[in-house]
Amino acid sequence: MTASDGSGPADPDAIRADIERTREQLSRTVDELSRRLDVPSRAKERVYRARDTAVETYRESPPVVLGAAAALVALVVGLVIWRRKR
């Protein structure tokens, strides 16, 4: 059953149900926006994911990770020495 002008339901129960659906959708939208705007929380989440990825990579092949870490340290030390000589 719809209103005589065709704009929506005329039944009060249908209107209440429509309002409740709209409220739930708005609540989900606000929650999602709040989550996206919480920059510190998102940054922590990314750090934890990176840490978990590094730990998992190390568990799968420790020599490769240790070699990459040694290469990174050597690169940083080399850059520091090079900059001091300039």
Side-chain angles (χ1 to χ4, degrees):
M1 179 174 181
T2 61
S4 60
D5 65 354
S7 63
D11 178 31
D13 290 333
I15 293 171
R16 284 187 196 98
D18 189 40
I19 290 171
E20 186 59 31
R21 279 192 305 274
T22 302
R23 284 182 179 159
E24 289 174 7
Q25 183 180 14
L26 181 59
S27 175
R28 287 190 304 270
T29 301
V30 169
D31 289 345
E32 178 66 19
L33 287 173
S34 295
R35 188 188 68 75
R36 288 184 183 192
L37 294 174
D38 188 5
V39 175
S41 176
R42 291 178 64 201
K44 285 180 185 178
E45 182 181 317
R46 292 185 83 181
V47 167
Y48 291 140
R49 271 192 276 151
R51 183 196 64 193
D52 291 344
T53 300
V55 168
E56 187 62 33
T57 301
Y58 177 75
R59 285 181 182 159
E60 290 175 0
S61 58
V64 172
V65 174
L66 293 175
L72 181 62
V73 168
L75 177 65
V76 170
V77 169
L79 286 173
V80 168
I81 293 171
W82 178 69
R83 288 198 62 170
R84 285 189 179 174
K85 288 184 178 183
R86 285 182 75 198

